[in-house]
Amino acid sequence: MNYLEIINKCLSELSFKQVSDFSELVKPEHQRIKNYINIIAQEVCSSENWNFLLKEESLTLPAQCSEITNTINGKIIAVYIENAEYKFCEDFKRLLLKKEKAKVFSIFNDKLLFPEFEKEQTVKIIYYTRNWALSSDNKEKSKLEEATDISIIPQQYIEPILVYGTSMRIKGDPQYIKYNFWQSMYNSAIAAMRSEITVDANYSPALKLFRK
């Protein structure tokens, strides 16, 4: 289900007229629906360590260099160099002053800091992404924007979470005839996701969220 299809589902649930083209979404209620879909997607994706958020990326650390630009848009949970795990160090000054030799890394502004190596190194990073959407050509995005964009939330949960969740927010009245149904379906979907596709309950990453 793409962004336009999600919006049309919301319009149907709320008894509004559906649209045939994304350019028709010009009314205030259209904008509210679009905003709430992204708000709910962000709230849900950032609420748990969902497996579908896990990503891996490799960066190059040049020889005799102790810092590289942090291009990771997400929460880092593991860093490896030459198959050895590097732990996060809060005291970035130890690495910034190039006096650290232990297997640690840190963050300073928009840079990742490491000990210096004589040879170029490949840094493998595993993280939970903050890009919660995909374009039609499979490029990661921070939110749904175009008609053909899709959410990275598993498709079987899109309708109960994004459609019914948005409908609840828009209507905002527990006395509304559909409200209890929406709420029940939304809560059931969140519970199902939590039991089926979260990272193992015994796993608790300790590294901190990077902010640029």
Side-chain angles (χ1 to χ4, degrees):
M1 190 183 298
N2 63 34
Y3 192 25
L4 180 58
E5 291 169 336
I6 294 170
I7 293 168
N8 269 328
K9 282 276 189 178
C10 291
L11 290 170
S12 177
E13 287 295 322
L14 294 163
S15 300
F16 294 139
K17 183 181 178 180
Q18 294 188 344
V19 300
S20 57
D21 191 84
F22 200 72
S23 62
E24 298 176 46
L25 298 169
V26 295
K27 296 180 179 180
E29 58 264 31
H30 296 156
Q31 191 59 49
R32 291 184 67 206
I33 288 170
K34 290 163 68 177
N35 288 342
Y36 273 124
I37 288 170
N38 276 299
I39 288 170
I40 291 167
Q42 178 179 350
E43 289 176 352
V44 170
C45 287
S46 60
S47 67
E48 300 278 348
N49 291 332
W50 307 109
N51 280 347
F52 59 81
L53 298 178
L54 282 170
K55 302 288 181 181
E56 179 182 320
E57 187 169 334
S58 293
L59 303 178
T60 299
L61 179 66
Q64 298 180 337
C65 181
S66 63
E67 62 180 45
I68 52 177
T69 300
N70 178 19
T71 59
I72 304 299
N73 184 28
K75 180 171 61 175
I76 292 177
I77 61 171
V79 171
Y80 298 94
I81 299 176
E82 294 184 327
N83 295 320
E85 183 171 4
Y86 279 62
K87 300 294 186 180
F88 180 72
C89 173
E90 290 190 2
D91 186 5
F92 64 86
K93 296 187 295 295
R94 288 164 53 186
L95 288 152
L96 198 62
L97 297 173
K98 302 181 181 181
K99 295 182 179 180
E100 184 59 63
K101 300 299 181 182
K103 293 178 179 178
V104 297
F105 76 98
S106 193
I107 180 74
F108 179 71
N109 292 332
D110 63 343
K111 301 292 185 180
L112 292 173
L113 307 180
F114 297 91
E116 283 192 0
F117 292 85
E118 291 185 1
K119 298 181 180 179
E120 179 181 282
Q121 299 292 330
T122 297
V123 181
K124 185 170 75 172
I125 299 175
I126 300 171
Y127 64 101
Y128 292 109
T129 183
R130 286 202 300 267
N131 287 324
W132 298 314
L134 293 172
S135 66
S136 59
D137 56 356
N138 213 38
K139 292 183 179 178
E140 293 186 6
K141 308 178 70 172
S142 61
K143 63 180 182 178
L144 297 162
E145 297 174 304
E146 306 295 334
T148 54
D149 290 348
I150 61 171
S151 172
I152 66 170
I153 294 172
Q155 286 297 302
Q156 66 267 33
Y157 301 113
I158 294 295
E159 185 167 353
I161 290 176
L162 296 186
V163 175
Y164 298 152
T166 295
S167 299
M168 280 194 297
R169 294 288 183 91
I170 294 292
K171 188 56 65 174
D173 181 7
Q175 302 304 313
Y176 185 70
I177 189 170
K178 289 186 177 181
Y179 192 92
N180 289 336
F181 169 74
W182 293 335
Q183 186 177 54
S184 174
M185 295 296 288
Y186 175 88
N187 289 339
S188 294
I190 294 294
M193 278 179 49
R194 188 172 288 122
S195 66
E196 294 172 9
I197 55 177
T198 51
V199 171
D200 186 273
N202 295 319
Y203 180 66
S204 180
L207 299 183
K208 293 190 174 181
L209 181 71
F210 287 171
R211 297 184 182 275
K212 291 188 177 182

